[in-house]
Amino acid sequence: MSILHKNFKIAVALALLIGSQTASAQVAWPVVTKQTKPWARWWWEGSAVNKKDLTWNMNSYHDAGLGGMEITPIYGVKGHESEFIQYLSPQWVDMLKYTLQEAKRLDMGIDLANATGWPFGGPWVTDQDASKELFWKNYDLKGGDKLNEAVVFVQQPLVRSDGQAPKITDLVEPIGSNKNLQLMALDQVRFEKRIPLTVLMAYDGKGQSLNLTDKVDADGKLNWTAPAGDWKLYALFQGWHGKMVERAAPGGEGYAIDHFSKPALVHYLDKFDQAFKGQDVSSIRAYFNDSYEVDDARGQSNFTPQFFDEFIKRRGYDLRAHLPALFGNDNKENNNRILCDYRETISDLLLDNFTKPWHEWGKSKGALIRNQSHGSPSNILDLYAAIDIPETEGNDVLRFKFATSAAHVTGKPLASSESATWLNDHFLSSLGDVKQAIDKYFVGGVNHIFYHGISYSPKDAPWPGWLFYAEVHFNQTNPFWNDFSTLNQYITNCQSFLQQGKPDNDVLVYYPLFDSFSEPGDRGLLKHYDAMKPDFKGTGFESSTEEMLKKGYTFDFISDKQIMALQTSGNHIITGGLNYKTILLPDSKYIPLETFSKIMDMAKAGATVVVYKNLPSEVPGYARLNEREKAFKDLLAGLNFTTSDNGVKTAVVGKGHFLIADDIAPLLDAAGINRERMTDGGLQFVRRTYKNGNSYFIANNSDKAIDGWVDLSVASSSVVVFDPMTKKYGLAKSRKQGNNQTSVYLQLQPGQSCILQTSPSKVSVANYTYYKDADKPVDINGTWTLSFTEGGPTLPQPVKINQLKSWTDLGGGEFKAFSGTGSYSISFKKPAQNAVAWQLDLGKVCENAEVYLNGKKLTTLIGPQYTVTIPSGQLRSVNQLQIKVANLMVNRIIDMDKKNEPYRIFYNTNLQSHSPSSKGPDGLFTAINWEPKPSGLLGPVTLKPVKYLLIK
């Protein structure tokens, strides 16, 4: 494929992604594509895949409503060693090509991790390309003295393992030549060896520094006599960090790469070039990188061979002249400024020598790049901005915003998430739990969900099949699998809107990374950035954004580099094709001169700049400090603030102005920023624009039902409400408010969500139906027939019950151990009350329920609410109600653990414990101490008559 054709292909792919932004949303559900469906990380354990089971698995994924899979090879399954396929071998590439072929048949997408496990690494990573760590020694000399000891450093041996840790003496180099690597599951290895001297510097404490490196001979002897004075010598040695690929697949075991070295990346990716040479893998949509996770080990990967040269090029001075300050032995200000420059250089190298060239490599393949930038010692906003699909993870909306903000600010249409990694302990998470977690991602701006994850498992593998140690177990053996499509359809319905249009946020919040760069950490030279905590805990950045989130202000984070690309139009700030109303400085101490100058220029052009509590007071870093400080102080001197009645101070700058206040609400109010007041009632939201108006995703994450008027901060003549769980929609009752705002009437139960679409004109669509209670509910009592249709370890015999309760309380052990589906049936007469409809409430359900009335399926309910509204005309004089309930995997797992039946059959990590109650003597997961969890239909089941709610 020519480079021209490859670039055309990538352009087409991006155009398809971006095209949905400009489409005018219709008063109907948007068209479903594989991109609007949820995707999943797909663990290839041991890469022990075969074509027959690949087809079976992919058919089942497609039928469940998944739009694509991300292949990540991982550790293997014991007993299947003969089926292991070496990573990137011709046989492995053949399986990849077959998968791509099947994906095309099923109209599914395929992404591929650029590694097994994480981080990037493997047996082809040489010592030269492996991650490096800086070690140092100090020596003191007086004038006229010579150093008596050798300037040498011997790296101490170290083995960290997630499996059966060997002795270091049992390992040989290179690592890939050792046997039983799957069994050992090495996480970090350092061999005892003398490591090379990088630099030896001498300082006299009076500003003089001498480079003595070339005066050290091969044996480490320093041939130098100290001149007059007291001298402190700093010897720096370049060692090996020793980080290995975590959870590596066969053929992927080896050292992690040096992420700060472009040659190391080029050599690493060349392995893929060679493996794919002459092979058609062009339908891979994107290549993926899991979170940085290099330094979750002893020490830090904090150096690279060309670091000092790179530092001079980027910072303008030689770091070697300031090593005492780097290691905290100068005055506090110098210590902080030199450390800041060191960290900024590391950040630049991760961006310029890893992220950007990796993106270019993917582009040359006609593929996108998906990246988890968090966890790295870098400005993660810039890393996220340098690739195509930023990906986040976790359970904190502010954490999500680092990835989604970078997508918004740079005009990227998709932001993805590693979703439902560990919601609870193993086997305890329901589809309803997952739904609530996904809603939080949507609120945080994510619009491309990836489950974490699904393990490839042979069709005939004994129950519970092949599992991964950190997931909800989205596998065909899970009893909720038959209902999985309901959750996937819900996500598809939501994402079909969330991938349309553009984000609609008002405020850009400056990311004050230099405040953190300039403060010492407790883990070594580097800090690693992921979320607000720990490095921004207690700062104005944290408190201001938490308050904005709570109060319903819409915002994105922005970095210094991204600020430099901002444009203004009148009082609007433009970036990524979006218009923002203001930029907020969140009580930061440091800001680069270039950044503040740019902000001043934007204000002069008409922009509004808001300052929370205090203006920045210093520029970061060491080089040309006096010159930069003077220029910065001159800019500050141009701000002359006057105080208004609401406590907000104002300084006019050209056509715009600065506002400063100690409280967010009056500050943003003075800037003309409207908030979404729905958050006062416990609702959370994300707002987007489309050609004809706005769309909202709204989730009720409170414990109270919403039944009333909800204010929107936008003007609208019509509002259409869409229920993504039922796919019903209609014209909502709405009314115009003052200040170009709208109120809409919503009915949302706890855990329920909806999508709103506003329009500046009247739309032609049927009215949305609102209901209210017409009378008291009627119990559905009598004798229920409970039969078990699928599951195990055995199917209990059918039973008749007069009172609903957990089937684990029905007597025998076969009920306690059962995981699967139980079908409840009962006949009931139509109640005597008159009603336009009836609300069937199943009460407590453990965990999913398919509801059938008179042989016709009404719905599948996954919680947290288990209600369905039935038009009165669907009820007969005598009715047959059937409710198929699927419980969780856990009860069968409890039974297996109590019987010591093996299912933790995996190399590397055999299911880590997530709580004290599940921790066995070996520290790993066991359910042996658990009691069976409630299962089935617990009720009470009621029918409540309802009537139309007429809203004036």
Side-chain angles (χ1 to χ4, degrees), residues 312-455:
I312 293 172
K313 181 172 67 175
R314 296 166 186 275
R315 304 283 84 84
Y317 66 97
D318 194 337
L319 179 61
R320 287 168 289 203
H322 302 276
L323 295 183
L326 178 64
F327 299 115
N329 296 322
D330 202 334
N331 64 69
K332 182 178 179 181
E333 181 174 5
N334 282 352
N335 292 344
N336 291 350
R337 292 187 177 279
I338 298 296
L339 182 61
C340 176
D341 284 344
Y342 162 79
R343 289 170 171 169
E344 185 181 6
T345 303
I346 286 287
S347 179
D348 289 347
L349 293 177
L350 187 54
L351 175 65
D352 294 337
N353 287 353
F354 174 77
T355 309
K356 286 182 176 179
W358 176 46
H359 181 250
E360 287 301 312
W361 178 85
K363 187 176 180 181
S364 74
K365 306 296 181 190
L368 304 173
I369 291 296
R370 216 177 89 241
N371 190 35
Q372 292 185 359
S373 302
H374 49 269
S376 63
S378 185
N379 191 323
I380 58 177
L381 289 179
D382 292 335
L383 298 187
Y384 278 131
I387 48 86
D388 301 302
I389 306 176
E391 178 160 299
T392 185
E393 62 177 309
N395 57 12
D396 179 15
V397 170
L398 288 180
R399 185 191 197 193
F400 305 158
K401 277 188 168 289
F402 285 93
T404 62
S405 293
H408 298 167
V409 166
T410 57
K412 303 180 191 305
L414 296 178
S416 59
S417 63
E418 173 191 306
S419 313
T421 303
W422 267 7
L423 297 184
N424 205 328
D425 218 328
H426 286 282
F427 312 110
L428 294 181
S429 296
S430 68
L431 293 178
D433 296 331
V434 177
K435 189 263 185 191
Q436 299 303 98
I438 298 299
D439 284 352
K440 187 176 286 189
Y441 281 112
F442 290 155
V443 166
V446 170
N447 61 358
H448 191 23
I449 294 295
F450 277 77
Y451 294 120
H452 185 279
I454 298 180
S455 296

Side-chain angles (χ1 to χ4, degrees), residues 716-831:
S716 177
S717 294
S718 302
V719 181
V720 180
V721 59
F722 296 80
D723 183 342
M725 188 60 75
T726 65
K727 214 171 182 181
K728 295 177 181 178
Y729 68 96
L731 185 65
K733 192 68 177 180
S734 63
R735 60 191 185 193
K736 294 183 178 180
Q737 300 287 85
N739 299 322
N740 293 320
Q741 297 186 1
T742 307
S743 287
V744 60
Y745 200 95
L746 293 181
Q747 292 181 323
L748 289 174
Q749 292 298 313
Q752 190 178 3
S753 56
C754 70
I755 294 167
L756 303 182
Q757 192 176 75
T758 71
S759 173
S761 59
K762 295 293 182 181
V763 297
S764 179
V765 64
N767 290 334
Y768 193 77
T769 304
Y770 300 94
Y771 294 102
K772 68 176 183 178
D773 296 350
D775 207 337
K776 294 180 179 180
V778 177
D779 291 334
I780 295 182
N781 291 322
T783 301
W784 294 82
T785 298
L786 170 58
S787 58
F788 297 90
T789 57
E790 60 179 307
T794 60
L795 291 179
Q797 291 298 308
V799 295
K800 294 186 180 296
I801 51 178
N802 294 318
Q803 182 178 358
L804 292 172
K805 56 184 176 181
S806 171
W807 69 52
T808 59
D809 296 331
L810 294 179
E814 70 273 21
F815 293 103
K816 297 182 186 298
F818 182 74
S819 289
T821 301
S823 177
Y824 296 78
S825 298
I826 194 171
S827 295
F828 69 93
K829 294 182 179 180
K830 183 177 182 179

Side-chain angles (χ1 to χ4, degrees), residues 778-781 784 804 840-843 881 883 937 939-943:
V778 177
D779 291 334
I780 295 182
N781 291 322
W784 294 82
L804 292 172
L840 176 66
D841 188 338
L842 304 186
L881 179 65
I883 303 167
L937 180 63
V941 179
T942 61
L943 269 178

Side-chain angles (χ1 to χ4, degrees), residues 107-155:
D107 190 29
M108 296 179 71
I110 294 293
D111 288 0
L112 178 66
N114 259 135
T116 75
W118 57 89
F120 281 13
W124 62 94
V125 175
T126 63
D127 284 355
Q128 180 180 359
D129 291 340
S131 58
K132 306 297 190 298
E133 182 166 6
L134 197 62
F135 298 90
W136 58 91
K137 281 185 174 182
N138 292 343
Y139 310 92
D140 293 308
L141 281 180
K142 293 186 179 296
D145 290 346
K146 286 191 173 185
L147 187 63
N148 294 324
E149 63 179 292
V151 183
V152 298
F153 191 98
V154 178
Q155 181 172 271

